[in-house]
C-alpha cells in the first residue's frame, strides 16, 4: 500500500485519543498512513485550518460541520463527518463560591441526576449565570441549552455563554470570569486539581450517548480522496477499538500525557478514560460508567439522526426553517463512506442510517449485517425523543 502523509488537527483533549493512538500505536501505519498531528490553540483556529487546507482532517466538535451546512459560523467550505471519534466525555463544573451555595442549599453532588442538579443550580444562582464553553457551536453549548431550557431557564436568554479554549477554563473560573463551565476532560479535572472548582455533572447525564467529536474533512476532499478517506476511517476505527479495552487505559494515558499532546500528568487523564473522577477539593470520587466512549455500541457510527438533532436545536434557537435544516444536516454525517471503508473486515454495522434519538432505555439488539449488534441506552434526561422523520412530516403538515 502506498504511503501517504495526512495532516490532522486536534485540540488537547482526552477525546483526541483515537487520532493520537492511531499514529503512536501503528494503526495508521497499517493503512499506509502517517498522521502529522497539529495541535491547535482553539476550536475556531482548528476549523479555519481545516477550511483553508492547512490540515486534511480534524478532531472536530460535532455541531461545527452541521452548522456550516446550515450557513452558520461563516466557515466558507462544506464539511463532512466521516466518523464519530467519541461519545460523551464532558463535565459541567462550578466555581468554589457556587459550590458552597449549592452545598449550603443541601445539594449532595451525586454527579448523576441532571434534573436535581439543574434545579439546584438554578436555585443557587445570584444573578445571570455565566457559563464557559469551548465554542458557541459545540455539543457543550447544545447540552447546556437543552438542559437549562427544559428546566425553565431559557437559553440563551437566561444565561451568558462565554467562549474560551478548554485549557483556559480553570483559569477563567479562578479569575471570576465565569460561574460555571462545560468542557471536555481533562480540563474540568484540572479545575478540581487547582482547587478552583467542583464538578457538578457529567454531560452524559443530560444525553446518555451524545456524539461529542467527529472526524471532519472538507467535503470536496472526501469526494476527491475516497481511498485516503477510507484508510483514515479504518485507522481511527481500529484505534478506538484498542482504546476501549480497559487493558489499554494506562498506556493511552501515557501517550496522551506527552508534551506534544496534552502535556498533563497521566493519572489525571486516566480518570476520564476509566470514568473514576475526583469531583471536588474534598477528594470526593464518583464513578461514571461509559463516561467517554470510543467504540462500544457502534460509538463511531455517524448516525444521520444525530446530525439532525443538532440541526433541530440550532434551527429552533436561530429561527431557521427546521425542515430545510434537517435536510441539510442529513448530508453532513456520512454513514455511506463509513460503511464503504469498513466493508469486508467482519464488522457488525447498523442496518439503518438514522434512528429515533433518545428512545433506547436498555441495551437493545438492532438490525445489523451479522445480527450481533446491540446499542446502549441513549436517553435524554427529560425522556423526550427526537424522530427526524416525524419532525419533517409535522413541518410539511403545518405548511399544508
Amino acid at each position: 500500500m502506498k504511503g501517504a502523509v495526512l495532516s490532522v488537527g486536534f485540540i488537547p483533549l482526552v477525546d483526541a485519543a483515537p487520532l493520537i493512538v492511531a499514529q503512536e500505536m501503528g494503526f495508521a501505519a497499517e493503512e499506509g498512513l502517517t498522521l502529522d498531528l497539529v495541535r491547535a490553540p482553539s476550536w475556531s483556529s482548528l476549523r479555519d485550518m481545516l477550511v483553508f487546507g492547512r490540515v486534511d482532517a480534524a478532531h472536530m466538535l460535532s455541531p461545527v460541520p452541521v452548522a456550516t451546512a446550515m450557513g452558520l459560523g461563516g466557515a466558507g467550505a462544506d464539511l463532512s463527518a466521516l466518523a464519530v471519534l467519541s461519545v460523551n466525555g464532558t463535565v459541567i463544573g462550578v466555581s468554589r463560591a457556587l459550590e458552597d451555595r449549592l452545598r449550603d442549599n443541601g445539594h449532595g453532588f451525586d454527579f448523576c441526576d441532571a434534573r436535581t442538579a439543574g434545579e439546584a443550580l438554578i436555585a443557587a444562582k445570584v444573578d445571570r449565570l455565566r457559563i464557559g464553553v469551548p465554542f458557541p457551536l459545540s455539543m457543550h453549548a447544545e447540552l447546556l441549552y437543552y438542559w437549562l431550557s427544559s428546566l425553565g431557564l431559557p437559553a440563551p436568554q437566561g444565561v451568558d455563554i462565554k467562549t474560551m479554549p478548554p485549557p483556559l477554563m480553570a483559569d477563567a473560573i479562578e479569575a471570576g470570569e465565569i460561574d460555571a463551565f462545560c468542557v471536555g476532560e481533562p480540563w474540568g479535572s484540572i479545575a478540581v486539581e487547582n482547587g478552583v472548582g467542583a464538578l457538578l455533572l457529567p454531560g452524559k447525564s443530560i444525553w446518555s450517548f451524545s456524539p461529542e467529536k467527529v472526524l471532519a474533512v472538507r467535503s470536496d476532499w472526501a469526494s476527491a480522496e475516497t481511498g485516503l478517506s477510507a484508510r483514515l476511517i479504518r485507522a481511527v476505527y481500529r484505534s478506538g477499538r484498542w482504546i476501549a479495552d480497559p487493558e489499554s487505559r494506562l498506556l493511552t494515558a501515557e501517550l496522551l500525557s506527552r508534551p506534544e499532546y496534552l502535556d498533563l500528568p497521566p493519572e489525571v487523564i486516566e480518570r476520564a478514560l476509566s470514568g473514576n473522577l475526583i469531583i471536588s477539593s474534598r477528594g470526593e470520587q464518583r464513578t461514571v460508567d461509559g463516561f467517554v466512549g470510543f467504540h462500544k455500541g457502534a460509538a463511531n457510527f455517524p448516525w444521520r439522526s444525530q446530525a439532525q438533532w443538532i440541526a433541530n436545536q440550532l434551527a429552533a434557537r436561530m429561527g431557521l426553517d427546521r425542515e430545510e435544516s434537517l435536510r441539510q444536516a442529513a448530508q453532513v454525517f456520512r454513514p455511506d463512506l463509513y460503511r464503504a471503508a469498513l466493508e469486508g473486515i467482519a464488522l457488525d454495522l447498523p442496518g439503518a442510517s438514522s434512528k429515533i434519538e433518545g428512545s433506547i432505555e436498555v441495551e437493545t439488539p438492532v438490525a445489523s449485517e451479522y445480527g450481533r449488534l446491540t446499542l446502549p441506552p441513549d436517553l435524554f434526561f427529560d425522556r423526550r425523543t427526537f424522530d427526524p422523520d416525524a419532525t419533517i412530516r409535522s413541518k410539511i403538515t403545518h405548511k399544508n
Side-chain angles (χ1 to χ4, degrees):
M1 185 182 294
K2 183 180 179 181
V5 177
L6 294 181
S7 56
V8 183
F10 75 97
I11 294 290
L13 290 161
V14 169
D15 54 31
L19 294 168
I20 295 168
V21 167
Q23 175 60 25
E24 295 291 345
M25 293 301 296
F27 298 109
E30 289 177 8
E31 292 293 333
L33 298 176
T34 297
L35 304 186
D36 176 18
L37 296 169
V38 181
R39 177 170 162 164
S42 68
W43 288 112
S44 58
S45 63
L46 179 53
R47 178 199 60 192
D48 293 344
M49 288 162 63
L50 181 60
V51 167
F52 294 110
R54 169 67 179 83
V55 295
D56 300 306
H59 161 235
M60 185 61 68
L61 298 158
S62 58
V64 168
V66 176
T68 299
M70 296 169 62
L72 301 173
D78 290 335
L79 303 177
S80 292
L82 301 181
V84 174
L85 288 177
S86 63
V87 296
N88 306 325
T90 60
V91 291
I92 295 166
V94 296
S95 67
R96 291 295 299 274
L98 191 47
E99 176 195 1
D100 290 343
R101 290 201 297 274
L102 284 161
R103 292 189 188 276
D104 289 344
N105 291 346
H107 184 62
F109 282 80
D110 63 11
F111 205 61
C112 65
D113 187 336
R115 182 175 296 279
T116 298
E119 290 172 348
L121 179 64
I122 293 170
K125 73 181 183 69
V126 176
D127 298 308
R128 287 172 61 90
L129 276 174
R130 301 167 301 163
I131 305 180
V133 298
F135 196 62
L137 301 169
S138 64
M139 188 57 70
H140 314 84
E142 295 313 318
L143 289 178
L144 286 173
Y145 289 142
Y146 183 90
W147 177 48
L148 295 175
S149 295
S150 296
L151 294 176
L153 183 63
Q157 296 89 349
V159 296
D160 291 329
I161 300 295
K162 296 178 176 288
T163 301
M164 55 200 63
L168 300 182
M169 208 66 76
D171 293 340
I173 209 158
E174 181 178 18
E177 298 171 12
I178 52 176
D179 307 302
F181 57 74
C182 184
V183 72
E185 278 292 274
W187 300 107
S189 288
I190 292 300
V192 175
E193 286 289 297
N194 293 352
V196 299
L199 304 184
L200 177 67
L201 206 63
K204 181 181 190 291
S205 64
I206 299 173
W207 183 9
S208 62
F209 207 71
S210 63
E212 176 56 30
K213 304 299 189 308
V214 295
L215 176 62
V217 298
R218 295 182 306 280
S219 298
D220 59 354
W221 187 90
S223 298
E225 301 288 357
T226 54
L228 285 176
S229 295
R231 289 153 66 180
L232 182 58
I233 290 169
R234 288 193 294 269
V236 167
Y237 166 78
R238 291 190 174 102
S239 175
R241 182 174 60 184
W242 184 85
I243 296 166
D245 184 345
E247 296 296 319
S248 302
R249 285 175 186 158
L250 291 179
L251 181 51
T252 299
E254 290 283 352
L255 293 173
L256 297 183
S257 73
R258 293 178 178 177
E260 64 267 35
Y261 300 134
L262 272 63
D263 194 21
L264 291 170
E267 55 269 23
V268 176
I269 297 169
E270 196 274 335
R271 291 178 199 170
L273 295 172
S274 66
N276 297 317
L277 299 174
I278 296 174
I279 67 161
S280 75
S281 57
R282 302 180 178 193
E284 296 166 299
Q285 183 171 313
R286 302 288 185 267
T287 299
V288 182
D289 184 37
F291 173 77
V292 61
F294 298 104
H295 175 70
K296 183 181 178 182
N300 306 116
F301 189 78
W303 294 94
R304 289 194 175 115
S305 48
Q306 292 176 336
Q308 290 176 305
W309 182 87
I310 294 168
N312 192 58
Q313 297 301 115
L314 290 171
R317 196 164 66 254
M318 305 293 184
L320 302 178
D321 182 89
R322 293 197 189 190
E323 180 188 355
E324 177 63 13
S325 297
L326 266 62
R327 185 193 66 77
Q328 293 166 333
Q331 310 305 312
V332 174
F333 278 32
R334 299 297 301 272
D336 56 330
L337 297 181
Y338 188 81
R339 283 196 178 93
L342 296 173
E343 184 178 6
I345 64 171
L347 174 64
D348 213 9
L349 295 173
S353 295
S354 182
K355 59 187 173 73
I356 299 175
E357 298 295 335
S359 65
I360 304 176
E361 296 197 26
V362 297
E363 284 202 358
T364 302
V366 296
S368 61
E369 186 172 353
Y370 299 104
R372 300 190 302 266
L373 181 64
T374 60
L375 297 183
D378 68 346
L379 298 176
F380 295 98
F381 85 98
D382 55 5
R383 296 301 182 108
R384 280 190 280 179
T385 60
F386 172 71
D387 181 347
D389 292 337
T391 301
I392 292 173
R393 286 196 300 271
S394 173
K395 179 68 178 178
I396 292 172
T397 300
H398 288 148
K399 280 184 178 179
N400 293 337

